[in-house]
Amino acid sequence: MVDHLANTEINSQRIAAVENCFGASGQPLALPGRVLLGEGILTKECRKKPKPRIFFLFNDILVYGSIIINKRKYNSQHIIPLEDVTLETLPDTLQMKNRWMIKTSKKSFVVSAASLTERKEWISHLEECIKHLLMKTGRQPCREHAAPWIPDKATDICMRCTQTKFSTLTRRHHCRKCGFVVCADCSRQRFLMPRLSPKPLRVCNLCYRQLLAEKKEAEADQRQAEPIRSAIQGYEPSSGDDSDKSDDDKAEQWPADTEFYTSEVSWSSFHS
């Protein structure tokens, strides 16, 4: 179906319509070989509360944004390369059903569909696109994923010290490494995680100690490897007949069993 629709007029018109809905705030989406496969409204679990978001599935990217006027105006466009995506089905909660997690190296978040059938269709379409894209590029599936942020309402107290109670004056913060909701005293440190951002990010005290230990260990390994590399670089083969040289001359965690995650428009595919 992708090969059949690629570079066709109808596909170009559909992509242009999506670009038009995002307006000047969105990025251009038309590329040679890119095909728009379907769209739908999913509920995305955000920091404050679940919110409806419009999602567009292309054969190589997943695009989503906030709904201003459905089918006419969207903003806050996000573009996710499918080769960076891993999916994880989640159990239902009292608040949200038909849930799954979209995991990437930069951001991971939970979405839910209006029905179980819709969730199956979304996941099926996504997995098929991801499989074909990885086969085409020869890349391996992404193995490192950003931690999803636990919603603010999941806890009234800091998830690290378990003492500080949140209020209007006592703000909630999120650790960028583990995603826990923490107080200011438990998240005063910043750490550079290039995979997530070029700037140092807020992390909780526990993650900071772990990241610092990992950094020191990596630096120690690098120092140990330096003499070996120098010896290899300075090595001169003997002048004997068997020379290889030719003539031509590289601790603490929130309980794992605690549930933190719990749209009326069904999956809209352009082709049956």
Side-chain angles (χ1 to χ4, degrees):
M1 183 181 70
V2 171
D3 293 337
H4 175 71
L5 288 170
N7 305 317
T8 61
E9 183 63 26
I10 186 66
N11 181 61
S12 298
Q13 290 175 358
R14 288 167 177 158
I15 294 178
V18 176
E19 289 180 332
N20 186 59
C21 286
F22 279 104
S25 65
Q27 297 183 39
L29 299 172
L31 279 181
R34 177 171 288 169
V35 176
L36 177 57
L37 299 174
E39 66 179 86
I41 295 177
L42 298 173
T43 300
K44 178 178 177 289
E45 189 162 278
C46 302
R47 177 177 177 175
K48 298 295 184 183
K49 63 179 181 179
K51 298 177 182 178
R53 294 286 184 261
I54 183 69
F55 281 79
F56 298 95
L57 176 61
F58 296 78
N59 59 323
D60 62 336
I61 58 173
L62 180 67
V63 178
Y64 72 92
S66 301
I67 303 169
I68 306 301
I69 304 174
N70 193 27
K71 300 291 185 181
R72 292 180 60 188
K73 186 174 178 59
Y74 309 122
N75 65 9
S76 303
Q77 184 192 72
H78 296 267
I79 300 176
I80 303 174
L82 287 182
E83 57 191 11
D84 193 36
V85 171
T86 302
L87 306 177
E88 179 183 348
T89 303
L90 300 174
D92 291 348
T93 66
L94 292 175
Q95 293 78 23
M96 296 180 68
K97 301 185 183 301
N98 311 311
R99 303 155 61 241
W100 75 95
M101 188 182 297
I102 297 174
K103 300 191 289 185
T104 78
S105 60
K106 294 185 178 296
K107 184 177 184 178
S108 300
F109 54 92
V110 177
V111 294
S112 66
S115 67
L116 182 61
T117 300
E118 183 181 343
R119 182 179 74 171
K120 289 179 178 178
E121 290 179 343
W122 265 107
I123 292 177
S124 175
H125 282 78
L126 281 162
E127 288 181 338
E128 190 70 16
C129 289
I130 293 168
K131 182 180 75 172
H132 282 293
L133 191 59
L134 291 176
M135 288 176 59
K136 182 179 178 180
T137 60
R139 287 188 53 178
Q140 294 297 314
C142 181
R143 308 231 178 259
E144 289 189 63
H145 304 107
W149 284 19
I150 293 169
D152 287 359
K153 291 186 178 180
T155 179
D156 291 327
I157 60 173
C158 173
M159 296 173 70
R160 282 305 182 202
C161 67
T162 67
Q163 301 296 320
T164 302
K165 206 166 184 183
F166 297 120
S167 65
T168 305
L169 299 178
T170 306
R171 290 185 55 203
R172 291 171 167 85
H173 299 280
H174 277 82
C175 171
R176 269 55 168 185
K177 179 67 169 62
C178 65
F180 278 19
V181 184
V182 291
C183 65
D185 287 340
C186 287
S187 60
R188 294 194 180 280
Q189 304 293 344
R190 302 290 188 276
F191 199 90
L192 180 62
M193 294 179 282
R195 182 168 52 86
L196 300 181
S197 172
K199 298 180 180 180
L201 300 174
R202 179 189 292 269
V203 292
C204 68
N205 296 341
L206 176 64
C207 286
Y208 179 77
R209 292 194 296 269
Q210 292 175 341
L211 288 166
L212 201 59
E214 291 172 2
K215 180 182 179 182
K216 290 180 179 178
E217 184 178 352
E219 290 173 347
D221 291 342
Q222 186 176 4
R223 285 195 298 269
Q224 290 178 355
E226 279 300 330
I228 299 175
R229 281 199 293 268
S230 298
I232 292 174
Q233 291 170 359
Y235 173 74
E236 288 292 340
S238 69
S239 58
D241 293 336
D242 55 351
S243 170
D244 291 330
K245 190 173 182 180
S246 69
D247 294 334
D248 301 322
D249 287 325
K250 168 152 153 90
E252 174 189 347
Q253 293 293 341
W254 195 257
D257 57 350
T258 303
E259 274 291 342
F260 298 115
Y261 302 108
T262 49
S263 120
E264 300 296 325
V265 179
S266 63
W267 164 266
S268 171
S269 180
F270 293 127
H271 313 281
S272 59

